[in-house]
Amino acid sequence: MHIDLTDRVVVITGGGRGIGAGLVSRFAGEGARVVALDLAFGEEGTSGGAATGDGVPVGDRILRLDCDVSDPSSVASAVAAIDDRFGRIDVLVNNAGINVEGLIDDLDFARWQKCFDVNVGGVFLMSQAVAPIMKRQKSGRIINAASFAAIVPSIGSAAYAASKAAVVQLTRVLAGELGPWGVTVNAYAPGMIPTAMNGFAEMAPDAQGRLLDTLTLRRWETPDDVADLITYLASDQASYITGALIDVSGGKLATQIPSRAYDAARL
Ligand code: NAD
């Protein structure tokens, strides 16, 4: 199967680091014209400076633009700038997200609300801003980062897991509402990719081992594992998939104790 994304205009939120940065490179490598939106350009670990106004080009395929997805005016001006420059948006990947942890006794409402503002509000605002462009084109792809936490939440993830479950339900509503224009909307559920969000790579080896023991495919997930799915969902080959939540977690908790298979196989 040959996935052809040549010259597709692809907007990726949270494209400055982590999984989003991996998606930006992959789409650019596939020949797409990529707009990376983020708050974080210029942070340690990302190259290039702040990217305000019309954005900062990185090479000839990537444009970096500052955008806070939880701020309606920031979203409106970023999407208007993209529409002015490219005249279309073929793919929107709503990747930007934050992790807010806290047991219910300790979680203050402001942190809960911030989590929803970014994780759910960001998907809502970006999708709402891009929808008229995709309707005008009578085509488009919206692809939303949920999480395995939307399927099985962990302790202390009240805000994060609830926000990601909301993303899944929002995805289904958007799929229904945009279906008449040939716009597909899907969500995906990664498992465990070590990034700045979770600090998995910095954990003690035994703590890492306990987490890896929850995986059917016992290795950390990479941004490339996610990009394999997202480029497919963005492609012509995925034109009949919509309203879906796709598990790309390496079989996290597909069985109750997947590590028993590794013990049995003596790996
Ligand atoms: P990360 O923290 O490394 O990157 C997230 C990016 O989003 C950052 O560049 C950050 O600046 C940006 N961002 C945050 N708030 C923003 C805002 N208001 N406006 C614009 N950009 C904003 O995280 P990651 O691990 O790469 O996660 C990416 C997505 O994947 C998130 O939605 C996350 O919930 C989801 N996810 C990650 C994992 C994992 O294991 N890493 C698992 C499941 C789901």
Side-chain angles (χ1 to χ4, degrees), residues 20-246:
L23 296 175
V24 168
S25 316
R26 174 67 79 83
F27 273 99
E30 296 286 347
R33 291 178 287 171
V34 185
V35 183
L37 304 181
D38 209 306
L39 303 166
F41 297 126
E43 265 189 6
E44 194 183 345
T46 65
S47 57
T52 50
D54 292 338
V56 171
V58 181
D60 58 359
R61 298 251 145 225
I62 300 170
L63 182 74
R64 290 182 152 184
L65 201 55
D66 280 348
C67 176
D68 178 349
V69 297
S70 67
D71 174 353
S73 64
S74 179
V75 167
S77 57
V79 172
I82 297 165
D83 197 21
D84 282 352
R85 186 176 186 121
F86 296 101
R88 60 184 299 110
I89 294 176
D90 297 297
V91 181
L92 165 65
V93 184
N94 282 310
N95 161 81
I98 58 170
N99 184 23
V100 169
E101 286 182 10
L103 299 173
I104 193 74
D105 289 343
D106 308 322
L107 186 60
D108 69 71
F109 187 60
R111 293 182 67 233
W112 164 280
Q113 211 153 22
K114 172 83 178 163
C115 189
F116 270 75
D117 284 351
V118 177
N119 293 1
V120 192
V123 175
F124 169 74
L125 290 171
M126 284 298 304
S127 302
Q128 190 179 50
V130 160
I133 298 168
M134 292 185 170
K135 283 182 173 180
R136 186 180 78 207
Q137 297 164 182
K138 296 196 172 51
S139 70
R141 299 290 159 83
I142 298 177
I143 306 169
N144 298 328
S147 168
F148 192 77
I151 303 169
V152 180
S154 50
I155 301 305
S157 74
Y160 182 75
S163 74
K164 291 299 187 177
V167 167
V168 174
Q169 211 64 321
L170 175 57
T171 297
R172 294 176 179 137
V173 174
L174 290 171
E177 294 188 6
L178 298 177
W181 286 270
V183 176
T184 69
V185 189
N186 292 290
Y188 57 99
M192 297 188 297
I193 300 108
T195 64
M197 176 180 279
N198 49 46
F200 290 152
E202 288 75 48
M203 286 179 175
D206 57 333
Q208 292 196 25
R210 277 194 297 279
L211 287 172
L212 290 168
D213 278 345
T214 64
L215 295 172
T216 301
L217 301 177
R218 198 183 183 284
R219 66 164 172 81
W220 294 122
E221 187 169 356
T222 67
D224 264 340
D225 293 320
V226 180
D228 287 339
L229 172 67
I230 304 308
T231 47
Y232 167 68
L233 287 175
S235 74
D236 291 345
Q237 284 88 342
S239 61
Y240 204 59
I241 300 173
T242 197
L245 168 63
I246 301 179

